[in-house]
Amino acid sequence: MIANKETPSAARVADERLNELIAEEVGARSPTGSINKLLAFVAFSWAMFQLYVASSLPFILEFGFFDDTEQRVIHLGFALFLGFSLYPAFKTSSRTHVPMGDWLLAIGALVSTLFIVVFYEEVSSRAGGSRTFEEIALSITGLLLVLEISRRALGWPLVIIAVIFIGYALFGPYMPDLISHRGASLNRLLDHLWLTTEGVFGLPLGVSSSFVFLFVLFGALLEKAGAGNFFIQLSFSLLGHLRGGPAKAAVVASGLTGLISGSAIANVATTGTFTIPLMKRIGFSSEKAASIEVSASINGQIMPPVMGAAAFLMTEFVGISYFEVITHAFLPAIISYIGLFYIVHLESAKMNLPILEKLHKSSVIQRLMNMSLSICLIVLLSGVVYVGVGFVKTLFGELTSYVCAVILFVSYLILLWKAAQYPEIEVDDPNAPLLKIPDTLPILMAGLYFAIPIGVLIWGLMIERFSPGHAVIWAILTLVIIMLTQHPLISLFRKTNKSLKAETIKGVYEVFEGTISGSKNMVGIALAMGSAGIIVGVVSLTGVGLIMTEVIDSIAGGSVILMLLLTAVMCMVLGMGLPTTANYIVVASVMAQPFVTLASQHGIVVPLIAVHLFVFYFGLISGTTPPVAVDAYAGAAVARADPMKTAINSFFYDIRTSILPFIFIFNPGLLLIGMDYWWEYVMVAITAIIAMLAFCAATKGFFFCLSRKWESAALLLVAFTLIRPGYWLNQIEEPYQRINPINIVKIVQEEPTDSSVRLLVKGENFSGDIIDKVVVFSLGPQLEGQTGEDRLYNNVGFNIEQNEGQVLVDDIKYDSPAQLSGMDYGWQVVELQVPNERMAKEWFYLPALFALFLVVLVQLKRKTLSSTEQINERLSK
C-alpha cells in the first residue's frame, strides 16, 4: 500500500473542490425540515408528470392531454423552480435553507413559464406578430432567470456564450463585414427565443422532456437499486488480476456506467471514488490514475444507448431514427474503449506494475476456457430468448405481452433465488488494504438479475424498435417491480429473521429516493437544454452557420485536412466548460452545417450522422482541454492530484479518440454505412482497431518494448494508411475523369436514383473574388418522364445556359443545395467529374500490415535480448 504524502489541508481542499463539482451536477443545497419535504414532493411530482405524459394514461383516461409546447414549458418550469431552490447564488450562500430572494426568483420563473400554458391560445395566436407589454416583460424576465440559474448550475461558460449570441443577434449590422447580418429587433428576438418553439422551448428542450428525463430517471433508479456497485465490482473481479488490472477495470466499469449515465462528472464521482484509489495503490501516480478515469468517463458519453443524452438530440438534428443513431455510434465507441484499454496496458507494461492475485488461482487455459464458455452461454442465451419470443408471438398472438411478462417474472425469481445463495455485494472501501481480487462467479450471480431491466430496454430499442420513450417506460416499470420486491424475496429465500414488511418498506423508500434523485439529476440537464436553446434560436434567426462556413473556408484555403482540423478546434473551444447535452447542441448548431457545406464544396460526400458524431466527439474532448477542463478537474479532486497536470494527461489520453472522427469521415464504413456485404463490415472494424492500437503505441512510445523514433514513425504511418488508404491511391491514379459539361443535362437524366453529380464550378464569391471549387450534389430519385433540366433544377437547384461553348448558371433556386454551396447566377460549370475505374484502395492495407509485422518482429527480438541480458546479469551476481 502506497503511503499518502498529502497534507490534511491539501486533502480538504481537494474534497471541497470535488463537492463543488458534484454540486454543479445535482445542487449544493441540502435544506432540512419542511423545506426538504417540499422540494422532495416537487421533484417526485415532476417525475410523475413526465411518466404520465409519456405513458398511455392520457388516452386511457381521456384526460390531461398536453401538446409538445405545453410539455416543454411545464418541464422547464419544474427545472427552474428546483434550480433556484437547490443552487445557491454564491459560494458564501447558505447551504441549509432557501433565502426569500431565491423563493421570489423561483416563483417568478414559474410565472414566466406557466403563463404560456395558461394563456396558450392567446400567446400562440400572436406568434410572429406584435406582442403585448405583459408578454414582452415576462419574456425578458424568463430569459434573465434562465441565464441566472444557468450561471448557478452550469457555470459561466454557457451563460457567456448565450449572452454573446444574444448580442450578436441584436447588433448584427454593427459587426465586422465578415460576420455582419441585418440584425433583429428586441421584440422579434424575444418572440423568437421565448414565445415560440424556435428558442428556449425548441427542439433541445423537447428532446429533454420526451426522452432524456426518462433515461436519467432509469439510470438513477438503477443506481439506487445497487446496479452501479455491481458493475464496478464485476469489472474489478474480471480484470483486476491483469497487469494494471484496477486501471483496466476502471475503463470497463466507466463504460458500463456510461450506458446509463448522462454526465462525465457523475461518472467520475461514482466509479472514480473506487477505481482511482485502487490505481494509486498499485503504482499509478495520482495524475495518471485520475486521467485514466476521466478519459474512461468521457468515453461513457459516446457509448450507446444514452450517449450523454446526445443520441436523442441526434435523431432530431439528423432526421433519422434512434435505432439508426445508436447503430452508427456503437462500433466507434467500442473501438475508443479498446484504444483506452490498450493505453492502460502500455502504461502498465512500461511501469512494470505488479499483478494482483485472485482469491482462487486458475491457469491461463482455465481462464480462457471460462471466458469462452461465458461468451458462448451469453450468445446461446440471447439466441434462445430471440427465438423463444418469436415462438411465443406465433403461439399466443395478442396475449404475447402477458405471456412474456410471466416468463420474465419467473426468470427474475429464479435469478433472485440464485443470488440469495451468494453473499451480498458490499460497497468496497477504497482506503482498505488491497489484498486479492474477488472471484467473478459470486459477484456475477449476486447481481445478474440487474440485467433484466437493461435487457428489457435494449430489447425494446433494438428488436421491437419501440420509440425511446416507450422502451424506457417498460424498462422503468420492470426496474420498479425489482426494487419493490428484491429485498423481501431475498430475505425469504435466505430464510433470515428480517421482517418482510420492513424489507418491503425499504424497497418503497429506495424507489421514492431514486425518483427524487433522478429529478434532481435532471435539473442541470434541463437547464442546459433551455440555455442552449437560446444559441439554437439565434443561429436560426441570423444564419450564423453560413458565416462560419465562410470563415473556416477562408482560413483553410482549400485544404480538406486543415478544414477538418479547424472544425475540430472550434468544437473544442465552443465546448469548453459545458455539460454533454449543451456541448453537443452548441457545436452541432454552430459547426455541423458549415462542415457539411464545406465538405460538399471540396468534393467530399459525408453522411450527416458522421458530421454530427465528428463535432460531438471533439466537443466532448473539451472536457479535458485546458484551461476549462471541468471533467479533468473532477478526476483530480478525487485523486488529490494536480488539476492542470491531470487535464494535460487526460487530453493526451483522449488524442486516441480524436482519430476516430477522421476515420469515419474518410471511411463511413466504420459507422456501418454504405457496405453491401458482412465481410466489408468485418474488414473495416478490424483495420480500424489495428489503426487505433498502432496509433496508441506510437504516441506512447512503447509497443512490446520501448520504441525507437523510427518505429513510432512507422506505426504512425501504418495508422494513417489504415485510416485513409485512398490518399496513397490518389497519388498513383487520378480519382476522377474530367469531362466537358456540355452534355450535363443528358448525363443527369440518365443517372440512376440517389446518384450524385460532381462539378468543378467557377464564379464570384461574396467578397468579390473569383474562385473555383468542387461541389457534389445528390440527384435524388429518377422519375419517369422527368427531363434532365427538371431533375437538375428540382433536386440541385439551378438551370444552365450555353454561351459561346461555356456552360453557365442561368437561374438558381433560393435555399437549394446549389445556393447553399455558394454558387450564384452567372457562375460557370467548368467540368463534370466522373469517378475513374481504379484498383481497390484496400490493397494498401497489405504494405501497412507488412510494415506493422516488421516492427513487431524487431521489437520482440529486442525484448527477448533484453530479457536474456537481465537474466544473465542476475545469474552473474
Side-chain angles (χ1 to χ4, degrees):
M1 183 173 177
I2 299 174
N4 186 0
K5 299 180 181 180
E6 296 166 351
T7 63
S9 59
R12 185 170 60 253
V13 169
D15 283 333
E16 291 174 357
R17 179 57 178 155
L18 176 61
N19 290 334
E20 287 176 11
L21 288 167
I22 296 174
E24 289 174 2
E25 295 286 312
V26 297
R29 278 203 185 107
S30 298
T32 57
S34 58
I35 299 300
N36 185 46
K37 293 178 181 178
L38 172 64
L39 296 181
F41 173 76
V42 173
F44 185 78
S45 301
W46 188 13
M48 293 302 101
F49 169 76
Q50 296 295 159
L51 289 170
Y52 174 78
V53 296
S55 68
S56 303
L57 285 176
F59 300 96
I60 295 173
L61 300 176
E62 297 184 355
F63 170 78
F65 291 98
F66 298 92
D67 69 12
D68 288 343
T69 303
E70 291 172 316
Q71 288 181 33
R72 296 173 188 184
V73 172
I74 296 172
H75 180 77
L76 185 63
F78 271 113
L80 288 171
F81 184 86
L82 288 173
F84 281 110
S85 305
L86 293 173
Y87 294 92
F90 307 103
K91 291 183 179 180
T92 56
S93 301
S94 173
R95 267 37 177 188
T96 57
H97 78 278
V98 183
M100 182 57 66
D102 282 353
W103 283 122
L104 292 175
L105 292 176
I107 293 171
L110 279 180
V111 173
S112 300
T113 52
L114 296 185
F115 94 94
I116 298 177
V117 177
V118 176
F119 302 101
Y120 184 63
E121 292 185 4
E122 291 89 340
V123 171
S124 59
S125 65
R126 285 190 290 270
S130 60
R131 292 294 180 179
T132 64
F133 172 80
E134 290 80 7
E135 288 173 340
I136 292 175
L138 288 172
S139 299
I140 294 174
T141 302
L143 286 173
L144 290 176
L145 290 176
V146 166
L147 292 173
E148 164 59 14
I149 194 58
S150 297
R151 178 193 69 80
R152 298 187 187 190
L154 307 169
W156 280 105
L158 183 58
V159 177
I160 291 172
I161 293 174
V163 170
I164 289 173
F165 271 76
I166 290 174
Y168 177 72
L170 291 172
F171 303 107
Y174 308 104
M175 295 290 172
D177 290 342
L178 185 61
I179 60 173
S180 65
H181 64 94
R182 63 180 181 178
S185 66
L186 179 62
N187 192 7
R188 185 182 176 210
L189 182 64
L190 292 173
D191 179 82
H192 196 77
L193 295 184
W194 190 259
L195 298 174
T196 69
T197 55
E198 297 294 328
V200 172
F201 302 109
L203 183 149
L205 200 66
V207 172
S208 175
S209 175
S210 302
F211 307 131
V212 179
F213 187 100
L214 299 176
F215 276 82
V216 171
L217 178 62
F218 177 69
L221 290 171
L222 204 57
E223 177 68 30
K224 185 60 66 175
N229 183 49
F230 167 66
F231 289 153
I232 294 171
Q233 298 292 344
L234 181 63
S235 302
F236 186 52
S237 67
L238 285 168
L239 303 167
H241 64 282
L242 302 175
R243 190 177 298 279
K248 293 174 179 175
V251 173
V252 175
S254 294
L256 293 173
T257 306
L259 292 173
I260 57 173
S261 172
S263 165
I265 290 180
N267 202 335
V268 171
T270 51
T271 62
T273 51
F274 172 74
T275 58
I276 288 176
L278 285 178
M279 287 187 271
K280 290 170 67 176
R281 275 182 277 173
I282 65 167
F284 280 102
S285 67
S286 298
E287 286 75 22
K288 284 188 176 181
S291 300
I292 291 169
E293 176 58 44
V294 169
S295 296
S297 297
I298 288 177
N299 272 26
Q301 304 302 284
I302 65 175
M303 178 63 72
V306 177
M307 296 172 63
F312 314 111
L313 291 163
M314 283 185 192
T315 63
E316 304 296 332
F317 279 130
V318 181
I320 60 178
S321 69
Y322 172 79
F323 175 80
E324 291 175 291
V325 169
I326 59 178
T327 300
H328 296 319
F330 180 73
L331 185 56
I334 292 296
I335 293 175
S336 181
Y337 266 105
I338 290 173
L340 181 58
F341 194 91
Y342 187 57
I343 283 178
V344 169
H345 174 75
L346 294 176
E347 289 276 20
S348 305
K350 280 176 70 175
M351 299 167 64
N352 196 26
L353 296 179
I355 298 176
L356 302 177
E357 294 183 6
K358 290 184 74 73
L359 285 175
H360 299 93
K361 295 182 179 180
S362 58
S363 65
V364 176
I365 295 177
Q366 287 176 318
R367 290 199 295 269
L368 288 174
M369 289 181 64
N370 290 337
M371 185 178 294
S372 301
L373 180 61
S374 300
I375 294 173
C376 291
L377 285 174
I378 292 172
V379 173
L380 179 62
L381 182 61
S382 301
V384 169
V385 170
Y386 182 79
V387 174
V389 173
F391 176 74
V392 170
K393 285 182 178 179
T394 304
L395 194 62
F396 293 96
E398 295 181 356
L399 299 175
T400 297
S401 299
Y402 301 101
V403 175
C404 286
V406 172
I407 294 173
L408 200 63
F409 188 70
V410 171
S411 302
Y412 164 61
L413 290 177
I414 293 172
L415 289 175
L416 204 61
W417 170 76
K418 196 67 179 174
Q421 299 176 22
Y422 291 90
E424 186 177 346
I425 304 174
E426 297 182 359
V427 178
D428 186 82
D429 180 5
N431 298 314
L434 185 61
L435 298 175
K436 293 188 177 181
I437 309 303
D439 289 332
T440 302
L441 184 62
I443 293 177
L444 176 64
M445 298 310 299
L448 189 57
Y449 63 92
F450 288 126
I452 291 177
I454 298 175
V456 169
L457 175 63
I458 294 174
W459 180 274
L461 293 172
M462 305 296 290
I463 307 300
E464 298 295 340
R465 305 289 181 89
F466 292 153
S467 69
H470 191 188
V472 76
I473 282 285
W474 283 109
I476 289 173
L477 178 62
T478 306
L479 180 55
V480 168
I481 293 172
I482 289 175
M483 294 177 72
L484 293 174
T485 59
Q486 63 174 339
H487 296 303
L489 287 176
I490 287 179
S491 179
L492 191 64
F493 290 144
R494 287 176 176 165
K495 299 179 180 180
T496 63
N497 296 324
K498 294 180 179 179
S499 167
L500 294 181
K501 180 181 178 181
E503 293 296 289
T504 303
I505 292 174
K506 180 181 177 182
V508 173
Y509 181 77
E510 286 180 349
V511 171
F512 183 71
E513 201 173 48
T515 302
I516 294 172
S517 177
S519 295
K520 288 184 177 180
N521 290 345
M522 190 62 208
V523 171
I525 297 175
L527 295 175
M529 295 286 198
S531 301
I534 295 174
I535 298 165
V536 175
V538 172
V539 169
S540 65
L541 185 65
T542 62
V544 70
L546 292 175
I547 296 172
M548 289 302 301
T549 303
E550 289 291 321
V551 171
I552 294 177
D553 194 30
S554 62
I555 297 174
S559 170
V560 175
I561 295 295
L562 188 55
M563 177 195 76
L564 294 174
L565 290 174
L566 284 170
T567 303
V569 170
M570 287 296 295
C571 289
M572 287 191 284
V573 172
L574 286 171
M576 282 186 181
L578 302 184
T580 303
T581 46
N583 189 320
Y584 170 65
I585 294 168
V586 171
V587 297
S589 302
V590 179
M591 299 305 303
Q593 188 54 51
F595 188 107
V596 173
T597 305
L598 286 172
S600 174
Q601 290 176 2
H602 291 86
I604 304 174
V605 180
V606 184
L608 190 56
I609 182 64
V611 173
H612 279 260
L613 286 173
F614 183 96
V615 298
F616 178 51
Y617 272 46
F618 281 105
L620 283 178
I621 291 175
S622 66
T624 60
T625 305
V628 193
V630 291
D631 300 331
Y633 296 159
V638 177
R640 312 279 199 265
D642 181 275
M644 193 55 64
K645 288 182 180 178
T646 301
I648 294 171
N649 266 338
S650 301
F651 179 76
F652 281 109
Y653 284 153
D654 276 339
I655 286 178
R656 93 221 169 276
T657 304
S658 67
I659 72 165
L660 279 171
F662 288 95
I663 294 177
F664 55 64
I665 287 295
F666 292 114
N667 192 352
L670 187 63
L671 304 179
L672 307 183
I673 294 175
M675 299 294 178
D676 298 322
Y677 305 100
W678 66 268
W679 55 266
E680 291 181 288
Y681 292 111
V682 174
M683 179 183 292
V684 166
I686 291 174
T687 53
I689 290 172
I690 294 174
M692 172 65 75
L693 299 183
F695 183 80
C696 292
T699 54
K700 297 306 297 180
F702 191 94
F703 198 13
F704 291 93
C705 59
L706 285 173
S707 299
R708 292 167 179 162
K709 289 183 179 180
W710 72 266
E711 292 171 340
S712 295
L715 290 173
L716 285 175
L717 189 61
V718 167
F720 175 78
T721 303
L722 294 177
I723 292 170
R724 199 186 176 195
Y727 172 83
W728 303 113
L729 182 58
N730 291 343
Q731 307 308 309
I732 299 174
E733 295 183 74
E734 283 289 333
Y736 297 99
Q737 179 183 355
R738 292 167 169 77
I739 299 176
N740 192 312
I742 199 75
N743 295 320
I744 183 174
V745 172
K746 181 179 179 182
I747 293 172
V748 165
Q749 184 174 358
E750 295 174 352
E751 284 294 309
T753 294
D754 294 331
S755 58
S756 299
V757 60
R758 182 183 176 95
L759 308 172
L760 174 63
V761 295
K762 181 179 180 180
E764 184 177 324
N765 66 4
F766 294 115
S767 303
D769 300 323
I770 302 298
I771 62 170
D772 52 31
K773 63 172 69 177
V774 174
V775 291
V776 181
F777 302 115
S778 173
L779 294 175
Q782 186 186 42
L783 303 178
E784 185 176 352
Q786 187 181 41
T787 65
E789 291 93 338
D790 292 339
R791 196 177 185 191
L792 196 63
Y793 187 75
N794 294 334
N795 297 325
V796 179
F798 69 92
N799 284 329
I800 63 167
E801 66 171 357
Q802 296 184 18
N803 184 7
E804 299 181 357
Q806 292 184 338
V807 177
L808 303 176
V809 175
D810 180 43
D811 184 23
I812 191 161
K813 189 193 298 185
Y814 176 75
D815 206 28
S816 65
Q819 193 263 339
L820 293 175
S821 73
M823 292 174 59
D824 206 346
Y825 174 81
W827 275 48
Q828 179 185 355
V829 180
V830 179
E831 63 186 27
L832 181 65
Q833 298 182 355
V834 179
N836 268 328
E837 292 187 6
R838 305 187 298 170
M839 63 183 288
K841 63 183 180 182
E842 286 76 15
W843 283 109
F844 287 91
Y845 289 158
L846 295 180
L849 294 174
F850 180 71
L852 179 64
F853 177 70
L854 290 179
V855 174
V856 170
L857 284 182
V858 171
Q859 290 225 343
L860 286 177
K861 183 178 179 181
R862 191 162 72 249
K863 182 180 179 182
T864 304
L865 289 174
S866 177
S867 301
T868 304
E869 290 173 358
Q870 291 176 8
I871 293 172
N872 292 334
E873 184 179 349
R874 284 199 295 269
L875 290 175
S876 65
K877 292 181 179 179

